[in-house]
Amino acid sequence: GRKDLPGAGGYGGDDDDDTKSLFPLDNLLSLNYYDRICPDFEKIVVTKVREWTKSDSSLGPALLRLIFHDCGVTGCDASVLLDYEGTERRSPASKTLRGFELIDDIKSEMEKSCPGKVSCADILTSASRAATVQLGGPYWPNVYGRRDSKHSYARDVEKVPSGRRDVTALLETFQSYGLNVLDLVVLSGAHTIGKASCGTIQSRLYNYNATSGSDPSIDAKYADYLQRRCRWASETVDLDPVTPAVFDNQYYINLQKHMGVLSTDQELVKDPRTAPLVKTFAEQSPQIFRQQFAVSMAKLVNVGVLTGEDRVGEIRKVCSKSNSRAY
Amino acid sequence: RDWNILSQLKGTTTTTKTSQTGVTSLKAPNLNGYCESWRVNVELNNIRDFKVVPQECVWFVQKYMTSSQYEDDVERAVDEAILYLGKTCCEKKTCDGMDAWIFDIDDTLLSTIPYHKSNGCFGGEQLNTTKFEEWQNSGKAPAVPHMVKLYHEIRERGFKIFLISSRKEYLRSATVENLIEAGYHSWSNLLLRGEDDEKKSVSQYKADLRTWLTSLGYRVWGVMGAQWNSFSGCPVPKRTFKLPNSIYYVA
């Protein structure tokens, strides 16, 4: 069951939680949800994320991508983690998603410390923030109490914005999440880190508008470089070629120099609704982008959550398997 | 950022090599080999349609185009063309005046190297058409080394010389003066691109002119140019001679 983002403030119980936070809250999600039932929750997550990213630094960006693909389908319900025939995870669009083993490891550890208490959706939410902080990005307070979906359908994945949508389609999708144009531009800024699969941009490099050349909106030197990097669809390329490992606003500066890797990235400077925001983030202090990123992420991870009040969902024992499904 | 692809290729960063004396030295990636391979494949038309020379090879292209090796390579092409001339019909019977030879102009008869030198790039930036045409209009391009000799060798054997260039029609008088100043004269026709021709690709434009020449009854024995667009399409010339140039690509 999908749930829209409620208005800020909420009502009813847990008033003390609302007053402590500057971020909009679902009334049934709580900043101190695990304080009594699993006090070490965030510590376990942070430790595991740090441990895994030490040996594979690309897992940080992968976790951010994973949370986006989860929240962007039916809401932040860990549906992307379910692994059986016909699930989101098995969809072609999810082929390049990574980070599942890390989430499973955290869940396994969590089941030892607090069996049956911590949902995979909350783990994914916490892990994506830990990854961001690890990458030098901002911290934001998370509220918890999400439940896991019992189902996952590959057909729903079409909704997640791919690297080839135009701005209008992106805005429409974001609107359906309860996010706005500012959130679209800000969350696209996650491409300050991470890599793109060459398969998503090859048509832009080699077959743009049925020609044999590259998209003319790409800087010529950069296009030449990308063409030589992207010989194979399975190759990857940095989304921010200038500072690929730093969480900064270089991404926006790149866009203004026609160095957006994905066409959805470059489109942001063409569209009059988004171009002024790109310009602002490119020209203002990186701190402005970081602060706004925290705000937008806090909104994203509250999209379409399942909570106890819904009387749906479950706390999975294993993130890749629903408790109620026979295997 | 220099867009050097080698710095990101796995296994081709610095490697350790132990010499006989046991001294460890670091071996840099073989940029010379990489760039020569790129350049050769451009000449072979295996690499096409590039807008800029790979940034890590701009220095290499400049080095080659301003080297004695380039001049030697041109001279070899000239020698092969003269050798080929010795086998054509004009040596065997009375010329009927219908034997033709086609030259391109830029980087074939006249060199653009001074333009690239003064503008600080050898393919590292996209060619600025406006500035390039201004330079062409100044009429100061020197002859490509060894080409004046070949030109007159061909002319004196009774061939009709046709100059087919992608230069625009408005550059005609500047081009004529430049050619004469560089030592060329007595061509049969100088064919430049008019407004209608600018709608075609350069390859198509040049192929159309070869078609026109053959329809008039000329036998095109050879075409000489520095870009593959001088040779592409039908009718196919009997022989083609390409001069080296990987600074830019014109389709």
Side-chain angles (χ1 to χ4, degrees), chain A residues 212 214-216 219-222 224-225 228-229 238 241-242 259, chain B residues 1 3-5 8 34 49 51-56 124-126:
Chain A
S212 64
S214 63
D215 184 342
D219 173 83
K221 294 177 184 176
Y222 189 45
D224 174 73
Y225 168 81
R228 291 180 291 122
R229 279 284 300 172
D238 291 318
V242 179
M259 284 162 51
Chain B
R1 186 118 183 142
W3 305 128
N4 186 333
I5 200 168
Q8 296 195 29
Y34 174 86
D49 295 323
K51 293 175 183 170
V52 289
V53 171
Q55 298 302 293
E56 63 269 23
E125 304 284 339
Q126 272 186 293

Side-chain angles (χ1 to χ4, degrees), chain A residues 76-149:
Chain A
C76 309
D77 56 4
S79 52
V80 74
L81 303 180
L82 287 174
D83 190 14
Y84 52 85
E85 191 62 36
T87 59
E88 293 167 35
R89 187 166 164 176
R90 298 289 184 95
S91 156
S94 304
K95 195 168 54 182
T96 54
L97 290 178
R98 297 174 53 240
F100 298 106
E101 295 81 6
L102 168 48
I103 299 298
D104 285 341
D105 188 19
I106 297 173
K107 177 62 175 177
S108 175
E109 187 70 24
M110 210 64 73
E111 285 298 299
K112 294 175 192 169
S113 299
C114 329
K117 302 293 184 185
V118 181
S119 68
C120 301
D122 276 346
I123 288 174
L124 184 49
T125 297
S126 183
S128 63
R129 183 187 67 189
T132 302
V133 172
Q134 191 79 9
L135 290 160
Y139 176 94
W140 64 89
N142 275 328
V143 288
Y144 298 114
R146 293 169 193 76
R147 291 169 69 84
D148 300 323
S149 71

Side-chain angles (χ1 to χ4, degrees), chain B residues 38-50:
Chain B
W38 182 86
R39 189 187 72 77
V40 166
N41 277 277
V42 168
E43 299 301 343
L44 292 169
N45 213 22
N46 291 334
I47 293 177
R48 305 184 182 189
D49 295 323
F50 59 92

Side-chain angles (χ1 to χ4, degrees), chain A:
Chain A
R2 174 178 183 82
K3 191 166 182 177
D4 289 329
L5 188 72
Y11 53 87
D14 292 331
D15 287 322
D16 54 321
D17 297 335
D18 293 347
T19 58
K20 290 178 182 174
S21 175
L22 298 174
F23 297 89
L25 291 178
D26 183 293
N27 187 44
L28 294 177
L29 296 183
S30 166
L31 281 169
N32 55 12
Y33 183 86
Y34 290 113
D35 283 7
R36 279 177 286 102
I37 64 178
C38 192
D40 287 337
F41 166 64
E42 285 191 332
K43 182 180 176 184
I44 292 173
V45 171
V46 170
T47 301
K48 284 293 181 182
V49 168
R50 186 176 296 142
E51 176 185 308
W52 278 70
T53 55
K54 193 175 296 181
S55 58
D56 182 354
S57 60
S58 68
L59 273 175
L63 284 176
L64 270 177
R65 183 151 179 257
L66 195 55
I67 189 79
F68 188 68
H69 275 250
D70 184 47
C71 299
V73 176
T74 53
C76 309
D77 56 4
S79 52
V80 74
L81 303 180
L82 287 174
D83 190 14
Y84 52 85
E85 191 62 36
T87 59
E88 293 167 35
R89 187 166 164 176
R90 298 289 184 95
S91 156
S94 304
K95 195 168 54 182
T96 54
L97 290 178
R98 297 174 53 240
F100 298 106
E101 295 81 6
L102 168 48
I103 299 298
D104 285 341
D105 188 19
I106 297 173
K107 177 62 175 177
S108 175
E109 187 70 24
M110 210 64 73
E111 285 298 299
K112 294 175 192 169
S113 299
C114 329
K117 302 293 184 185
V118 181
S119 68
C120 301
D122 276 346
I123 288 174
L124 184 49
T125 297
S126 183
S128 63
R129 183 187 67 189
T132 302
V133 172
Q134 191 79 9
L135 290 160
Y139 176 94
W140 64 89
N142 275 328
V143 288
Y144 298 114
R146 293 169 193 76
R147 291 169 69 84
D148 300 323
S149 71
K150 294 181 179 178
H151 308 290
S152 175
Y153 302 104
R155 63 172 181 267
D156 292 331
V157 176
E158 287 172 23
K159 198 177 174 188
V160 181
S162 73
R164 282 172 282 233
R165 297 279 204 82
D166 66 16
V167 172
T168 298
L170 290 171
L171 284 171
E172 185 177 338
T173 301
F174 268 62
Q175 184 68 35
S176 70
Y177 301 156
L179 304 177
N180 59 25
V181 59
L182 175 59
D183 297 314
L184 166 60
V185 174
V186 169
L187 292 177
S188 295
H191 292 162
T192 181
I193 52 175
K195 295 177 183 292
S197 160
C198 285
T200 59
I201 62 175
Q202 274 190 329
S203 66
R204 200 170 173 231
L205 296 178
Y206 291 109
N207 193 36
Y208 184 73
N209 276 353
T211 69
S212 64
S214 63
D215 184 342
S217 71
I218 310 175
D219 173 83
K221 294 177 184 176
Y222 189 45
D224 174 73
Y225 168 81
L226 288 174
Q227 281 181 327
R228 291 180 291 122
R229 279 284 300 172
C230 282
R231 297 303 201 191
W232 311 103
S234 57
E235 265 287 0
T236 59
V237 68
D238 291 318
L239 285 160
D240 172 358
V242 179
T243 55
V246 180
F247 201 98
D248 56 12
N249 66 334
Q250 184 65 44
Y251 164 81
Y252 299 103
I253 298 171
N254 294 348
L255 292 188
Q256 298 208 308
K257 296 179 179 176
H258 307 286
M259 284 162 51
V261 173
L262 306 175
S263 53
T264 47
D265 289 340
Q266 197 56 55
E267 287 289 326
L268 296 177
V269 286
K270 295 181 188 173
D271 194 286
R273 291 165 293 186
T274 50
L277 292 169
V278 172
K279 188 167 187 287
T280 297
F281 287 126
E283 293 175 357
Q284 298 300 321
S285 159
Q287 190 58 26
I288 289 181
F289 161 64
R290 292 166 57 91
Q291 287 167 0
Q292 186 56 53
F293 187 81
V295 174
S296 293
M297 278 304 292
K299 290 169 75 175
L300 174 68
V301 299
N302 289 341
V303 167
V305 299
L306 303 179
T307 62
E309 185 185 66
D310 298 320
R311 289 196 174 81
V312 295
E314 60 188 4
I315 305 294
R316 293 180 203 150
K317 296 189 180 70
V318 177
C319 288
S320 57
K321 301 172 180 175
S322 168
N323 298 345
S324 59
R325 184 180 170 93
Y327 288 92

